Amino acid sequence: MDQAEGLRRLHRPATKVITVASGKGGVGKTNVVANLAICLAKAGSRVMVFDADLGLGNIDILLGLTPRHNISHVLSGEKTLEQVLVRGPHDIWVLPASSGVSSMAALDAQSQSRLIDAVSSLDLPLDYLLVDCAAGISGDVLTFSRAAQDLIVVLSNEPASVADAYALIKVLSKQYGQRRFHLLPNMVRDAREGQSLFAKIVGVTDRYLDVSLDLVGSIPLDPALRAAVRAQRAVVESAPQSPAAAAFALLASRVRTWPIPKGSSGQLEFFMAQWLQAEQPAAPA
């Protein structure tokens, strides 16, 4: 029995896998993941965050966590996945990435096998796996985006951010046939600016791409959010009455309406298998 077949035979509660991506860095993607995770957990869901910016992870810093180990220690065989996972606010699980480890950007076949085996043996019931991937259109980002059931593209009202968000959507659409995208304008003045930004993207995609875009909300530029970052806390924890916290709560309520996979076999192993299989070198002809 090969690895893929072994993964398909595993049984665990169904897990909804959501990747959060952005064409450009600096648009607040990691903040979105952290606050969405906590909002989902506060509503009673079991949540894990996978920091998939494998060489420059920082969601642990944003949440004030100090993990002793990270995913690189799993790949080296030093630690199990359970030993690397850390608890965050409201009992969310965080799988921390390494920071400044260049080898994480290009995993060899042996490392890939170790990781998929580790995920396969993880005895952890989850409702949501939120994947915080790197910005841009690198191979890992594209695979994480394709393997997840839902993709949230975060963008800000800057020309470079809009152009790079469109580039990400275009590559996933043209090269991989992906059709559904959730858009989340971040750091906007108000909901009207978010709607205008969404309309700007739709105006281009309607002309050139065969895709369906969904405005899943918008997050306002809020001084409380900047203060939360400095305090290494999520704004939904440090300032729950702030406009940003209210926007994240609304985002979570919408995400919770997205269907969870039916049946006992969830998407966690499928997601990891898709990523790692995509990273495997092609067999010689």
Side-chain angles (χ1 to χ4, degrees):
M1 181 174 65
D2 62 18
Q3 276 188 340
E5 184 180 354
L7 291 176
R8 287 192 293 269
R9 291 190 177 187
L10 288 175
H11 295 282
R12 71 168 80 242
T15 303
K16 180 74 163 175
V17 180
I18 301 171
T19 291
V20 181
S22 65
K24 179 182 178 296
V27 299
K29 173 176 51 60
T30 298
N31 246 313
V32 169
V33 173
N35 283 281
L36 175 58
I38 292 173
C39 286
L40 290 171
K42 288 172 70 175
S45 297
R46 299 163 297 187
V47 183
M48 184 168 89
V49 173
F50 174 23
D51 191 344
D53 191 349
L54 296 175
L56 292 169
N58 60 10
I59 198 165
D60 53 317
I61 297 172
L62 186 64
L63 291 172
L65 305 175
T66 53
R68 295 178 58 191
H69 306 101
N70 56 60
I71 197 170
S72 69
H73 296 99
V74 177
L75 298 178
S76 68
E78 299 173 62
K79 297 294 177 181
T80 67
L81 200 59
E82 288 87 347
Q83 291 171 324
V84 167
L85 286 171
V86 292
R87 287 276 197 177
H90 290 274
D91 287 335
I92 64 172
W93 288 105
V94 177
L95 177 55
S98 54
S99 183
V101 181
S102 60
S103 61
M104 289 299 297
L107 302 182
D108 59 30
Q110 187 176 21
S111 296
Q112 295 163 3
S113 179
R114 283 201 189 101
L115 183 54
I116 202 167
D117 287 344
V119 173
S120 302
S121 62
L122 183 62
D123 184 19
L124 188 66
L126 295 171
D127 298 307
Y128 293 95
L129 171 65
L130 302 184
V131 183
D132 180 18
C133 61
I137 54 174
S138 67
D140 274 348
V141 172
L142 297 177
T143 306
F144 287 140
S145 300
R146 290 156 47 210
Q149 295 154 322
D150 287 278
L151 170 64
I152 298 175
V153 179
V154 181
L155 69 160
S156 64
N157 197 4
E158 300 174 356
S161 176
V162 174
D164 290 350
Y166 174 76
L168 175 62
I169 294 168
K170 179 181 178 181
V171 170
L172 288 168
S173 169
K174 293 283 192 180
Q175 296 186 19
Y176 302 104
Q178 191 151 336
R179 296 287 178 259
R180 291 191 312 115
F181 301 85
H182 304 287
L183 261 62
L184 180 67
N186 192 22
M187 300 184 290
V188 293
R189 289 190 299 270
D190 50 33
R192 181 177 297 179
E193 183 179 0
Q195 292 163 355
S196 175
L197 186 53
F198 176 72
K200 187 182 301 183
I201 290 276
V202 170
V204 182
T205 57
D206 279 355
R207 290 184 62 188
Y208 300 108
L209 303 176
D210 180 19
V211 296
S212 173
L213 303 186
D214 164 44
L215 180 61
V216 74
S218 59
I219 311 299
L221 185 62
D222 187 343
L225 189 55
R226 293 195 295 271
V229 171
R230 289 194 295 270
Q232 293 183 270
R233 297 185 67 193
V235 71
V236 296
E237 292 282 275
S238 64
Q241 304 303 317
S242 65
F248 282 122
L250 182 57
L251 170 64
S253 69
R254 289 173 176 166
V255 167
R256 291 178 66 219
T257 67
W258 299 349
I260 297 288
K262 294 182 179 180
S264 60
S265 181
Q267 291 291 313
L268 182 58
E269 291 83 12
F270 169 78
F271 169 80
M272 297 303 293
Q274 287 291 98
W275 168 41
L276 295 175
Q277 288 169 7
E279 291 294 309
Q280 294 283 359

